[in-house]
Amino acid sequence: MPDDPADAPSTLGQLGEFAVIDRLVRGRRQPAAVLVGPGDDAAVLTFGDGRTLVSTDMLVAGRHFRLDWSTPRDVGRKAIAQNAADIEAMGGRTTAFVVGLGAPAETPTAEVEALADGMWEEATRIGAGIAGGDLVSSPHWVLSIAVLGDLNGRSPVLRSGAQPGAVLAVAGELGRSAAGYALWHKGIGGFEQLRSRHLVPEPPYGQGAVAAAHGAQAMIDVSDGLIADLQHVAQASGVGIDLSTAALAPDRDALSAAAATVDEDPYSWVLGGGEDHALAACFAGPLPPGWRVIGRVLDGPARVLVDGAPWQGYPGWQSFQD
């Protein structure tokens, strides 16, 4: 038998909600912005700017992640990364997260602890904390994340500010997650970096604030697919956007070997693949370091073109379609 009862195998149902929560929060160090963390009815945060960025997202097992592909730690990192990318896309700095988790009572406590470890690992990378949350019984894993951010005195970068004549630039990489998904789905080994990028995205942390400081007119994170997300910018700003496949060639080249293996056009991943959480922004002046031009902003009507023509391929993810 284990020497320490705390080391004994357990499930959520055996331990109960509050004992599990105590395990998940014990010993965690909050950033300075979190004045009161888990343990009271609400957290207390401080924002020197006087304004707070807020966004929320959900992940459902079997729809947004698969536990036969991902470890719980991977899921935790992914949940934090994709929510932090929304704050980046506004030009802000992520400060804290609030996490709701639904899971079956028979879930091993160790799996939920690994999930929390992954969340804290990713949150710590960006100087943020997990300020609170909730734990409930559910037929399968469901994660609901709220993220809070600070503008540090700057105006938010909206989707509606793009102007004709600006260039469209991107920070981060495109198509990697979609390529990884195809490899996982078809059971193809190798290509470990691409397979890993589907499980855990790598947003270009810090580049949202850099873009805002360099006068970005409009910005969005690439969560559903480059074309699908740029449609939101085009419609909000009343402009056209023309993407250049020549400018996107580095992304295509990075995916060509995997695309050949699964008989796919790599541009379908670059243009329609989501979950990379790269940032796309429009600039009238010189680009900041870490950004590269991939297109230009045109007069309206609102549309997204590829090399001057409508894209005939897959444009990106839609939540209520298979």
Side-chain angles (χ1 to χ4, degrees), residues 269-297:
W269 294 336
V270 174
L271 295 168
E275 293 197 319
D276 286 297
H277 299 288
L279 297 175
C282 304
F283 295 91
L287 298 186
W291 291 78
R292 56 193 168 100
V293 174
I294 60 169
R296 58 198 180 102
V297 181

Side-chain angles (χ1 to χ4, degrees), residues 10-47:
S10 63
T11 66
L12 300 184
Q14 289 169 331
L15 273 182
E17 175 187 0
F18 297 109
V20 173
I21 291 173
D22 182 62
R23 284 194 180 194
L24 298 183
V25 303
R26 188 187 307 145
R28 306 292 188 181
R29 177 174 293 181
Q30 298 285 359
V34 180
L35 302 182
V36 177
D40 281 271
D41 290 303
V44 180
L45 284 77
T46 180
F47 291 87

Side-chain angles (χ1 to χ4, degrees), residues 88 168-172 204 206-212 214 216 218-220 278-283 287-293:
E88 291 279 342
L168 175 74
V170 68
Q207 286 295 339
V210 168
H214 281 75
M219 186 158 49
I220 195 167
L279 297 175
C282 304
F283 295 91
L287 298 186
W291 291 78
R292 56 193 168 100
V293 174

Side-chain angles (χ1 to χ4, degrees), residues 201-290:
E202 296 182 7
Y205 292 133
Q207 286 295 339
V210 168
H214 281 75
Q217 297 175 342
M219 186 158 49
I220 195 167
D221 90 289
V222 183
S223 57
D224 295 328
L226 184 62
I227 288 179
D229 289 316
L230 290 178
Q231 288 280 9
H232 298 311
V233 175
Q235 290 168 3
S237 298
V239 298
I241 295 174
D242 189 14
L243 293 165
S244 165
T245 55
L248 292 165
D251 295 293
R252 175 205 61 197
D253 293 346
L255 305 174
S256 292
T261 302
V262 299
D263 193 25
E264 182 65 83
D265 176 4
Y267 276 124
S268 69
W269 294 336
V270 174
L271 295 168
E275 293 197 319
D276 286 297
H277 299 288
L279 297 175
C282 304
F283 295 91
L287 298 186

Side-chain angles (χ1 to χ4, degrees), residues 1-10 15 23:
M1 293 181 61
D3 295 330
D4 185 347
D7 295 329
S10 63
L15 273 182
R23 284 194 180 194

Side-chain angles (χ1 to χ4, degrees), residues 100-129:
L101 170 64
E106 62 271 19
T107 301
T109 305
E111 292 188 359
V112 179
E113 291 176 330
L115 174 78
D117 287 342
M119 289 182 172
W120 272 99
E121 178 183 340
E122 197 70 18
T124 300
R125 289 183 64 198
I126 51 179

Side-chain angles (χ1 to χ4, degrees), residues 62-66 68-70 78 175-188 190-200 255 258 262 264 269 272-276 314 317 321-322:
R63 185 66 172 172
H64 303 103
F65 63 90
R66 289 178 50 164
D68 56 335
W69 293 358
S70 301
K78 177 178 181 176
R176 273 58 167 184
S177 179
Y181 172 81
L183 294 165
W184 278 104
H185 184 67
K186 294 179 180 293
I188 297 172
F191 302 102
E192 292 304 323
Q193 186 177 29
L194 294 178
R195 286 157 54 90
S196 176
R197 286 289 289 275
H198 176 66
L199 305 182
V200 182
L255 305 174
V262 299
E264 182 65 83
W269 294 336
E275 293 197 319
D276 286 297
Y314 176 66
W317 166 269
Q321 294 185 5
D322 293 328

